[in-house]
Amino acid sequence: MTALSHNVMVAVIGAGAMGAGIAQVAAQAGHRVQLYDSRPGAAAQAIAAIDQHLGKRVANGKLAASARAECLARLRPAAQLDELADAGLVIEAIVEKLEVKRELLGQLESLCRSDCILASNTSSISITQLAAGLAHPQRLVGMHFFNPAPVMALVEVVSGLATASQIAECIKDTALAWGKQPVLARSTPGFIVNRVARPFYAESLRLLQEQVSDCASLDALLREAGGFAMGAFELTDLIGHDVNYAVTCSVFDAYYQDRRFTPSLVQKALVDAGYLGRKSGRGFYDYHQHALRPQPLSLESQAVPDTLFVEGEPGLLAPLLERLASAGLVLSHRPGNGLLRIGQATLALSDGRLASQRARDEGLSNLVLLDLALDYASARRLGISWAADTSPAAIDQVVALLNAAGIALTALRDSPALCVLRTVVCLANEGADALLHGVASAADIDLAMCAGVNYPCGPLAWADALGIGYTVQVLSNLQAAYGEERYRPSLHLRRLLAEGACFHE
Ligand code: NAI
């Protein structure tokens, strides 16, 4: 089955933020669209807002005036539900309540043509559960857009137990024809994005709770070393803590309270206090007028860096060494097992053990550990932590070295896998579990995280780049350090490791 033809009339139910956006997308793609909302006047109001929005795009030279007029001509408010009887696709984007959605779908089933596809934009309700009780459950599919729908590329096409595969394929092709990036997912809690993204928030929240660093510094690390568009605290302030916390709780409950998804007490406190983020003027940060935005803390050194001795193969740190050499620092190579030595300090990429633990295990003194960067050649900041017996002079040498290459440094309290590294391996671990459970393909999981939440790299491709062996080692060390199920490496990762394979061959 191919994409729905342009002649097919599309109906959108619910004229809130999502419904209005979806109606605009369908109309811009060339469909006649009827928009219905149970609140009288809401559909017409939403169409007027779309007109205004498109008007601004015309004024900015981003849209032709004719395209605006054509789009508007295709959009029509419906006063009654039965005006939608001719639709070939109905997308519901009404309130997120199972019973209300079920009742609507039942009405639609008796009203619409037998070949009409019914789609739900739900972000958290099971498509299987929504379809139960319908006479033709095979024609119900999830079509999960992201907010704002006209801007965000991703659409998760979600199949419940009964959804016909041709229907899912048709909606996938239709989303593609609408200029979107569709991915196929099986209906499981959180689908792809809302499940795989949980550790992005959870690990930063945990680091804050454990006083590893402050919000501004942890956010800066995820941005300036991790390459993420926003850190977890600024992002959850934007999303709203009520919304983000509710999604975490719903995923946690839906997975029978799997401890891996345990919600954060730090975030609950914000919700309890009414500190919901930007919309309430206060979340992790203060958004009131004239409020000062805290800056990330950075270590600085005035020392002249010594020669850096590179012992053996530097592995993932090779681009960093090239950068240091280009910055004019003196590097000297000698045999060894991948450690870097400068002055009294020993420098290494974290393997997930505490610095003090690793120093003791390997008999290293003055150990300083580096956090992961998406790209060491361009990272503006890196996280470091050190063992309890590391001297201030040793730390100063490391800081001088990295500062000399233009890298800001954030000191983290000794914590397993620091910040970016633990976030990335936990994202990859969750992606691996989603793959293990047949929720989606590896390609679609990575695409979903890049197109849906703007990750700089799909978590599975990132694990491939780090090496499956290293990813499993870091997770195992995290698990050993915390003694928690939360970090247990997915069987899929262990299987890849045993097979000598990776996610994307
Ligand atoms: P909203 O509250 O802005 O809009 C919902 C609209 O549906 C309201 O205008 C309401 O009057 C109307 N409505 C409620 N019950 C109705 C019924 N029985 N029949 C007809 N209209 C009815 O909600 P929003 O944010 O647009 O969300 C809608 C759906 O999209 C929900 O299922 C939500 O989970 C999902 N979603 C929301 C996202 C978001 O970021 N807001 C992102 C992706 C999905």
Side-chain angles (χ1 to χ4, degrees):
M1 203 165 178
T2 48
L4 290 174
S5 123
H6 286 164
N7 305 329
V8 170
M9 204 259 278
V10 173
V12 178
I13 307 184
M18 293 308 294
I22 296 167
Q24 181 188 326
V25 170
Q28 284 187 301
H31 293 272
R32 281 177 301 123
V33 178
Q34 301 243 34
L35 182 59
Y36 172 76
D37 197 290
S38 55
R39 193 162 52 84
Q45 244 171 32
I47 293 173
I50 295 172
D51 186 23
Q52 215 177 24
H53 168 74
L54 294 180
K56 277 194 199 143
R57 300 205 62 203
V58 172
N60 294 338
K62 290 185 178 155
L63 188 76
S66 58
R68 171 194 182 185
E70 282 164 20
C71 175
L72 257 294
R74 290 189 204 108
L75 278 164
R76 213 176 72 78
Q80 305 291 334
L81 203 57
D82 54 19
E83 291 173 34
L84 313 180
D86 278 341
L89 167 64
V90 180
I91 307 170
E92 74 76 15
I94 67 165
V95 60
E96 188 74 343
K97 288 198 175 135
L98 174 67
E99 283 317 318
V100 184
K101 284 192 193 285
R102 261 189 168 163
E103 191 187 329
L104 173 68
L105 290 167
Q107 283 174 289
L108 288 171
E109 198 169 40
S110 46
L111 176 77
C112 295
R113 301 183 329 219
S114 61
D115 64 346
C116 174
I117 297 176
L118 303 180
S120 172
N121 184 51
T122 179
S123 44
S124 64
I125 301 175
S126 151
I127 299 300
T128 302
Q129 224 177 345
L130 278 178
L134 290 183
H136 303 287
Q138 67 278 7
R139 63 165 154 160
L140 180 73
V141 64
M143 192 174 190
H144 183 212
F145 289 79
F146 286 70
N147 192 9
V151 177
M152 297 302 288
L154 185 68
V155 176
E156 291 180 326
V157 178
V158 186
S159 290
L161 214 49
T163 307
S165 57
Q166 315 89 281
I167 298 283
E169 286 296 335
C170 169
I171 291 302
K172 180 183 174 189
D173 291 344
T174 301
L176 208 54
W178 292 3
K180 295 295 172 189
Q181 284 273 21
V183 292
L184 292 175
R186 218 157 50 77
S187 184
T188 46
F191 309 143
I192 303 175
V193 170
N194 278 338
R195 171 195 185 156
V196 177
R198 295 317 337 132
F200 182 79
Y201 314 110
E203 293 310 314
S204 279
L205 286 162
R206 172 168 265 201
L207 289 170
L208 187 68
Q209 185 166 20
E210 293 174 356
Q211 305 180 73
V212 171
S213 187
D214 58 280
C215 295
S217 302
L218 292 167
D219 274 350
L221 274 178
L222 285 173
R223 263 187 282 109
E224 297 172 24
F228 292 94
M230 288 179 132
F233 304 111
E234 49 200 352
L235 180 55
T236 47
D237 269 5
L238 182 66
I239 294 169
H241 291 286
D242 49 345
V243 174
N244 187 259
Y245 179 71
V247 175
T248 304
C249 290
S250 102
V251 171
F252 175 59
D253 287 335
Y255 282 103
Y256 301 108
Q257 312 209 330
D258 184 330
R259 312 312 293 170
R260 224 165 61 247
F261 300 113
T262 305
S264 162
L265 284 175
V266 172
Q267 192 173 35
K268 180 175 187 296
L270 290 186
V271 175
D272 289 348
Y275 293 179
L276 303 182
R278 277 176 190 260
K279 63 185 172 190
S280 68
R282 180 149 187 193
F284 285 112
Y285 299 105
D286 188 344
Y287 298 92
H288 291 104
Q289 222 187 353
H290 308 306
L292 286 180
R293 183 69 176 242
Q295 294 302 306
L297 302 174
S298 302
L299 295 170
E300 275 164 26
S301 167
Q302 304 308 321
V304 177
D306 259 330
T307 298
L308 177 70
F309 291 95
V310 181
E311 299 182 344
E313 283 305 316
L316 292 165
L317 293 180
L320 178 64
L321 299 184
E322 278 171 35
R323 177 172 177 179
L324 294 174
S326 324
L329 291 145
V330 183
L331 273 64
S332 173
H333 295 263
R334 60 193 189 197
N337 51 3
L339 295 174
L340 309 176
R341 313 262 187 186
I342 183 162
Q344 307 165 350
T346 300
L347 183 59
L349 174 62
S350 167
D351 67 1
R353 275 176 290 176
L354 289 166
S356 291
Q357 181 70 46
R358 182 159 168 189
R360 178 184 291 231
D361 291 348
E362 298 183 14
L364 298 168
S365 56
N366 290 309
L367 180 63
V368 178
L369 292 182
L370 267 184
D371 197 2
L372 183 68
L374 172 67
D375 177 12
Y376 284 108
S378 60
R380 286 180 289 134
R381 175 179 298 275
L382 289 176
I384 60 170
S385 62
W386 49 81
D389 69 354
T390 300
S391 71
I395 298 163
D396 198 49
Q397 269 295 312
V398 173
V399 174
L401 173 82
L402 295 165
N403 278 177
I407 301 172
L409 290 178
T410 294
L412 300 172
R413 187 173 177 182
D414 189 9
S415 188
L418 287 83
C419 170
V420 178
L421 179 58
R422 73 154 68 193
T423 303
V424 171
V425 295
C426 289
L427 290 171
N429 203 28
E430 203 47 55
D433 258 5
L435 188 59
L436 180 71
H437 299 155
V439 175
S441 68
D444 277 0
I445 290 170
D446 274 353
L447 181 60
M449 303 317 288
C450 293
V453 270
N454 282 327
Y455 285 3
C457 178
L460 303 180
W462 210 334
D464 280 349
L466 296 178
I468 301 298
Y470 176 63
T471 305
V472 170
Q473 179 189 27
V474 174
L475 285 163
S476 303
N477 284 333
L478 270 162
Q479 188 186 16
Y482 280 102
E484 281 181 38
E485 164 80 7
R486 174 176 173 126
Y487 299 106
R488 54 104 195 92
S490 165
L491 176 66
H492 194 85
L493 278 166
R494 291 197 182 280
R495 193 180 276 154
L496 289 177
L497 182 61
E499 292 169 355
C502 54
F503 289 106
H504 303 283
E505 293 297 343

